[in-house]
Amino acid sequence: MPIPVLRSVHVHPVKALRGFAPAEAEVQPWGLAGDRRWALVDDAGKVVTQRRHARLALASAAPRPDGGVTLSAPGREPLTVEAPAPAGADGEGDGTLPMEIFGTVVRMVPAISEADAWFSAYLDSAVRLVHLDDPARRRPIDPEYALPGETVSLADGYPLLATTTASLDALNSLIAQGDHADEGPLPMNRFRPNVVVDGTTPWAEDGWRRLAIGDVVFRVAKSSGRCVVTTTDQSTGERGKEPLRTLARHRKDGSRLIFGQNLVPEHRGIIRVGDPVEILD
C-alpha cells in the first residue's frame, strides 16, 4: 500500500472567509501560522461566521507580509487592511474589544473603521473586523481533550483539522445513492480543513491517535463534528441538504455528525505539500 502523503495545506486568515493553499506552512502550538487570526464580530461582540452569513463564503482575505490582509468580495472594491498595533499586555482598558467565540471571551484588537464599513456593506449587517494580536490571548482547548496549557487561536475548537481524500470519495459515493444525489459530488472545501491527506483507505482517520506529517508530530484530539457550513456551496454561497443528510445516516457519533479529525501539534515545525504522513499510533 502506498505511503500516505500531504495532499494540500489550507490557511484561512479571516475566520469564515475563503482560505488559500500554500505549498508549506509553519505549525505553531495554536495552529498554522496566519490561520484564523482575524474574525468578524457583531454589535453584541459575538463571532460572525458562515453559520449566520453564507455570503462570507464568497469573500476572501489574501495575507500580506506585514501580517495584514487584502480583502475582496463580489461587488466590493478590494481593501488592504494592516495588522493593528498590538495592545497592552493587560487587555483591559487598552482599546481591545471582548469577542465571544463558542462561549469563551477573547480580547481582540479592532481593525480600521474602513474594514468595518466594508464588511457591513457587504453583509448588510453591522459587523467589526478584529485581530488576535497576541498569542497570549488564545483560548484554552477543551480540557477533556487537551494537555495543560494547550491553546487554540480562532478556529472552532482545535489548532488543525485533518481530512482525507479517500473519506471524501467514500462520502460522495454515499451521497450519490441518496435522496439529494444531484448535490454531489462535494469538493473538500465544504469542510474547510487545514491539512488534506492522500493515500489512505476510507475512514482510516477514525483510528488515528498520533501521526507525523513530515517532521511534525500531532496528537488526534477527537473527530470533527460538522455543522450547516458544510452545506454551503463555497463558490455560490447557496445552501443545500448535503453532506449533513448523508452524514446523519452513516457518520453519526451520538448527536454529532462527523467528518475529519482535530489535531493538536506536539511541537513547532514546517509542513510541506508532498510530505509523508506516518501513523504513529
Side-chain angles (χ1 to χ4, degrees):
M1 183 174 177
I3 297 175
V5 298
L6 181 59
R7 167 75 171 269
S8 58
V9 178
H10 302 271
V11 176
H12 305 84
V14 179
K15 185 176 180 64
L17 271 61
R18 287 183 181 178
F20 71 105
E24 64 179 47
E26 178 189 356
V27 178
Q28 299 173 333
W30 43 86
L32 297 181
D35 187 59
R36 297 171 171 95
R37 291 289 295 271
W38 301 77
L40 295 170
V41 297
D42 62 15
D43 286 341
K46 293 188 176 181
V47 65
V48 174
T49 72
Q50 288 185 35
R51 293 169 176 84
R52 193 189 317 181
H53 290 288
R55 278 175 55 80
L56 288 173
L58 309 183
S60 64
R64 294 172 51 82
D66 61 2
V69 289
T70 297
L71 307 172
S72 60
R76 305 296 302 166
E77 289 294 323
L79 177 68
T80 294
V81 182
E82 295 182 358
D90 61 353
E92 299 287 348
D94 56 10
T96 59
L97 298 173
M99 181 184 91
E100 182 181 339
I101 175 169
F102 304 114
T104 301
V105 175
V106 180
R107 298 201 71 87
M108 307 282 288
V109 180
I112 56 174
S113 60
E114 289 86 349
D116 302 341
W118 192 94
F119 273 113
S120 296
Y122 176 63
L123 296 177
D124 194 26
S125 179
V127 293
R128 298 192 72 175
L129 180 65
V130 293
H131 183 245
L132 184 62
D133 65 313
D134 184 350
R137 302 189 206 280
R138 299 180 310 271
R139 301 136 56 212
I141 298 173
D142 184 342
E144 184 177 351
Y145 301 97
L147 299 177
E150 289 183 332
T151 59
V152 60
S153 56
L154 300 180
D156 281 1
Y158 299 88
L160 282 84
L161 171 64
T163 59
T164 69
T165 55
S167 294
L168 179 62
D169 290 344
L171 177 61
N172 278 325
S173 293
L174 294 170
I175 290 172
Q177 302 166 29
D179 298 335
H180 298 277
D182 59 319
E183 293 189 25
L186 302 182
M188 189 65 84
N189 65 7
R190 290 288 188 98
F191 301 94
R192 300 177 64 80
N194 292 114
V195 292
V196 179
V197 178
D198 250 346
T200 71
T201 56
W203 317 121
E205 62 272 25
D206 289 351
W208 296 351
R209 297 296 175 265
R210 290 177 74 243
L211 68 150
I213 301 176
D215 296 327
V216 183
V217 177
F218 300 87
R219 187 180 77 254
V220 178
K222 62 182 293 191
S223 57
S224 179
R226 310 316 307 223
C227 70
V228 69
V229 171
T230 61
T231 70
T232 308
D233 187 321
Q234 297 293 298
S235 63
T236 67
E238 297 178 356
R239 298 213 203 269
K241 299 293 185 181
E242 296 292 359
L244 294 187
R245 188 67 61 90
T246 296
L247 290 176
R249 293 192 177 114
H250 300 280
R251 299 285 299 166
K252 196 169 184 180
D253 180 13
S255 61
R256 298 188 312 126
L257 310 182
I258 60 173
F259 187 89
Q261 297 290 333
N262 291 298
L263 307 183
V264 180
E266 294 188 357
H267 55 86
R268 293 173 179 261
I270 303 294
I271 56 174
R272 298 176 176 86
V273 172
D275 275 349
V277 177
E278 182 181 1
I279 309 309
L280 304 175
D281 184 16

